[in-house]
Amino acid sequence: MARLALTMACGDYDRVQALRTGRVTPEGIDLNLLPLEPEECFWRMLRFGEFDIAEMSLSSYCIARAKGDDRFVAIPAFLSRSFRHSSIYLRSGAGIGDPRDLAGRRIGVPEYQMTASVWTRGLLHDDYGVEASSVTWRTGGLEQPGRAERQPLTLPSHLRVEPVAADRTLIDELLDGEIDAIMAPRIPSAFRRGEPAIGRLFPDYAARELDYFQRTGIFPIMHLVVIRADVHARHPWVAQSVYKALTEAKRLALDGITAAPALRHTMPFLLDALERQEAVFGPDPWPYGVAANRPALETFTRYLVEQGLTTEKPDIDHLFAPSTLAESRI
């Protein structure tokens, strides 16, 4: 039987390298894997449906489904995760010494709907009482002007979300005092250079992120994988085939970190970091599957409603291909 030729676009992660090299092959599929930055991948898939399979923003997918957009079907392989305490940057002199001081301020986000922003606003609300409605949100490119929301939003009137001028960036606005803080998944280049006008809200972010995980059990999910619905309708077996392949590729990536006799990663204290990581997360810090991630997904879908991005919580089980909701038993 001829194998099905499909194209998948996603980030260049260690957890997909076995698919790229051919060490892992999805059953019945000849996979063309395109390495793309997440922003480009999301934009091209949401706007044009260019790929058969693609990495996708968790929030963009949930919002689209809540609007009745059923062009995609997800599988619970969560290619990107990140704690977000490190991603809040302040303008020096803004008078923000405590997270609660963010209420009433102007905060920049690349997109109001982006998953990183949803998680960050959620932790500020849950742990510090900062309501999304208490902030004026300014949207735009972090360091390049002209960024827009990747899909149209209809937000409640009590939320204030305003784009910056088309020729301005969030960093311009921060340095000029037009906004007080930025929430961004990428580290601003000015911060990396040591610009004294920019600091972190949580300089001790690593300790806070560890505390957050120990209290909640949540390692925030950023991205999942979607299949175009027309592909899934014609070949429903593709969902399980791709899911199994991604799971195996991740296993090989985790096993390979310590299996080599020489360090493959430019991290002198890699072994120590891995041992401390296992003490916190166990043997698999990056679980796939709905069951293992239900608390995180329940929390995230609650945030979508609280932040005005959906009117009702999406039904988690309806977000994913049915064949991926339970592991097969042989």
Side-chain angles (χ1 to χ4, degrees), residues 264-293:
R264 293 180 178 176
H265 304 274
T266 315
M267 294 180 62
F269 299 110
L270 176 63
L271 182 59
D272 174 67
L274 288 171
E275 290 176 349
R276 287 187 287 112
Q277 170 184 290
E278 185 162 352
V280 174
F281 293 96
D284 183 1
W286 214 279
Y288 291 170
V290 172
N293 291 282

Side-chain angles (χ1 to χ4, degrees), residues 90-103 105 180-181 201:
L90 308 175
R91 174 172 53 84
S92 301
I96 300 172
D98 182 273
R100 296 167 185 84
D101 296 334
L102 292 172
R105 302 294 186 138
D180 304 300
L201 175 63

Side-chain angles (χ1 to χ4, degrees), residues 94-296:
I96 300 172
D98 182 273
R100 296 167 185 84
D101 296 334
L102 292 172
R105 302 294 186 138
R106 296 158 298 176
I107 301 178
V109 290
E111 298 179 43
Y112 183 79
Q113 73 180 306
M114 69 191 307
T115 307
S117 299
V118 175
W119 278 112
T120 310
R121 286 190 297 264
L123 76 88
L124 289 172
H125 172 267
D126 286 357
D127 287 354
Y128 304 102
V130 179
E131 300 281 351
S133 59
S134 71
V135 170
T136 297
W137 303 98
R138 305 295 307 281
T139 61
L142 180 64
E143 307 206 37
Q144 294 182 336
R147 180 164 177 167
E149 300 281 349
R150 64 180 65 102
Q151 60 182 328
L153 297 180
T154 303
L155 299 172
S157 59
H158 67 275
L159 291 170
R160 296 183 298 278
V161 181
E162 307 165 353
V164 302
D167 61 345
R168 299 279 287 175
T169 68
L170 297 181
I171 290 296
D172 293 336
E173 297 282 295
L174 187 72
L175 294 176
D176 291 348
E178 296 299 320
I179 59 177
D180 304 300
I182 289 173
M183 294 179 353
R186 294 180 183 270
I187 302 173
S189 59
F191 180 83
R192 290 200 305 269
R193 293 195 304 268
E195 167 60 58
I198 303 177
R200 274 197 170 105
L201 175 63
F202 297 121
D204 59 342
Y205 64 87
R208 290 178 183 264
E209 291 169 352
L210 175 59
D211 172 71
Y212 172 85
F213 179 75
Q214 290 175 330
R215 284 188 292 110
T216 67
I218 293 173
F219 183 10
I221 296 165
M222 298 295 136
H223 310 159
L224 40 61
V225 173
V226 298
I227 302 168
R228 269 208 335 265
D230 62 306
V231 175
H232 183 259
R234 290 195 302 269
H235 311 287
W237 55 269
V238 164
Q240 188 64 244
S241 183
V242 172
Y243 178 56
K244 287 170 61 179
L246 286 168
T247 300
E248 177 63 8
K250 181 192 61 141
R251 185 191 68 78
L252 291 172
L254 289 171
D255 290 349
I257 294 175
T258 55
L263 290 175
R264 293 180 178 176
H265 304 274
T266 315
M267 294 180 62
F269 299 110
L270 176 63
L271 182 59
D272 174 67
L274 288 171
E275 290 176 349
R276 287 187 287 112
Q277 170 184 290
E278 185 162 352
V280 174
F281 293 96
D284 183 1
W286 214 279
Y288 291 170
V290 172
N293 291 282
R294 193 171 291 276

